[in-house]
Amino acid sequence: MFRFRLGLVLLLLAAAVVLQGVAAVFAVREAERQVVRGRVASDILQRFVELSATKQRLRAWVTQHQIGAGGQVAERDALAQRMQTLLGELSGLTQRAEDMGLAAEAPAEHAQRQDALRVLTQSVATLGTAVKQLQPLSPEVQASQAWDALTAVFEQADGRDLRKIVAQSIDREKAAMERERAAADASLAQMRALWIGTALMLALGALGATAYFGRALRRPLHALTAGAQALQQGQLQHRIDLTGRDEFAEVARSMNAMAEELERHRRGEAQQRQVLEATVRERTADLHQANASLRRTDVRRRQLLADISHELRTPTTAIRGEAEVTLRGPARPADEYREALTRIVEISRQQGKVIDDLLAMASTDMEAFSLEREPVVVHQPLLDALSQAAALAGEHGVRLQPEGQPPGQTKVFGDAQRLTQLFLILLDNAIRYSHPGGVVHWRLTVRGGAVELQVRDEGIGIPADELQQVFERHFRGGAARQHRASGSGLGLPIALALAQAHGGTLTLQSPCEEAPEGLRGTCAVLKLPQWHDSDPVLTGLELGLGSATQK
C-alpha cells in the first residue's frame, strides 16, 4: 500500500518535472525566435543607416572632385562597391525576414521595404555610372547648375525623392526593431513566469508529499521500533499491534511470528536435555568403537616393528662395515679416519631421518596423530617451515621464490607444530628433487573458504603412471631413486595423513599446469579449511578417528 502511494507520488512529481521541461523547451524556442527576429530587424535598420551614410560620403567625394580639391578614384570605387554590398545584404535580410514570418505579420511594411530596395538598387546602379563619368567643373559652368545636376543624380530616382525613401525606411525599421524587442521581452517574461510557477508547484507538491508520508509513517515506525527493542531485551511475549494490508503490517506479523517461534524454542530446551542424554549414550558407544580401534592398532604396531627392522638393517650394516674396514690392518693417516667418520656421521644422519619418518608413520598407522588444535594464523607456521627449509635449499643450490602477497591474518584450526611439519615436508621434497640452480615457487592464497598452499618445483617431475602410488608407504619411483638414492618413501604419506587430520586435502600435479614451457616439475596443492572467529572452538587431543570436544 505504502509502496503504491509512494510510487504514485513519485510518478506525479516526475510527470510534473517532465511537463516543466517540455514547457521550458517551448518557451526557450519561442524566446530564441523572438530574439532572432529582433536581431534581423536591427540588422536591416543598421544597413539602411549605413547605406545613407555611404551615399553621403560618395556625394562629398563627387563635390570634392568637381571643384578640383582631390579625391582618389579608388575611394570612389570602394564607396560604390560598399553601397552595392549593403543593398545585397538588405535583400538577404529581407528574404530572411520573410522566411521567419515577418512579411505575413506586417505585409504592408514588407511591401514598402521591397519597394524601397527596388528604387535604391536602381538609383545606386545609375549613380555608379554617373559618378564614373563626372569630370572637374570647367570655369564656364556655373556652380549652381552643377549642384542641381548632382542633386538630381543623388536624390532623385523615377521621380521619387530618395532622401524621403531612406528616411521612411529608417523610421519603419526602427519601429519594427522596437516591436520585435518588445515581443522578445514579453516572451522572456512569460518564460520566467512559467518557470517560477512550475517551480512553486513542484515545491508545494514535494512539501505536501513529505507532510503526508511523515504523518502516515510515524505510528508504524514507532510500533516496529518498540517491538524490535522488546525482542532485543528478551520480552518474547510482546506483540506489535499493527493491522492492515500495508508493508508495515506485514513486517509486524513477521516479527510477531518470530517471537512466537522463539518462545517455542525456549520451551523446547527441556526436550534438548533429553537429546543431550541420548548423545552421551552415543558417545559411550563411540568409546567402545575406540577400544576396538586400539586392538587394531596393536596389529599395526607389529607391522611397524617389521618396518623398523627392514629400514634400519641396511644403514646399521653400512656403519658397522665402514668401521670394520677402517680399523682393519695397520694404522692409517688421520685424514682417512676423518673421512671414514664423516661417512659414518652421514649414514647416521640418514638413519635418524628414517627413524623420525617411521615414528611419524607409526602415529599415522595407529590413527593417533596428537593434535593440540587451536586457531592458528597460517602464515606463521609457513614462515617457520621456510626458515628451516632455507638451509637445505642453500645446500642444494635451490632458491625459494614466493608468488604474490600471502594473506596476513588468515586462520586455520589446527596444530601449529604439525602444520610446520606438514609445510616442511612439501618444501623438503620440492628442494631435494630439484636440479642445482633451480627455483621452488610457493604461493599462499584463500579460495572458496579454504586456505591453499601451492609448492611448485622445476625438478625431475613424476611420471603419470606413478602419481597414484606416491602416497603409498615406502614407494619411490625410478626417477626419484636415480636422482637421490637415499630416502624412505614415507614423507608424502606422512604429509597426506597430517593434511587429512586437519580436515584438508593434498594433491600432486606433474607436470605443473602453471610450469613454463620446457620445465616439467611437480606441483603440490594443500587445501585446509579456513577458520573464522564465529566458528566453534575444538580443544583437546584430536584423534585420527575424528573425535573432538567443543567449548
Side-chain angles (χ1 to χ4, degrees), residues 315-337:
T316 302
T317 302
I319 292 174
R320 186 180 62 217
E322 187 71 30
E324 290 176 352
V325 170
T326 305
L327 294 175
R328 187 182 302 154
R332 301 170 182 267
D335 290 339
E336 293 186 15
Y337 288 108

Side-chain angles (χ1 to χ4, degrees), residues 51-61 83 154-155 163:
L51 179 63
S52 176
T54 304
K55 189 177 72 168
Q56 293 300 326
R57 289 174 59 192
L58 181 59
R59 182 168 183 173
W61 182 89
M83 291 177 68
F154 275 90
E155 306 299 342
R163 287 177 299 180

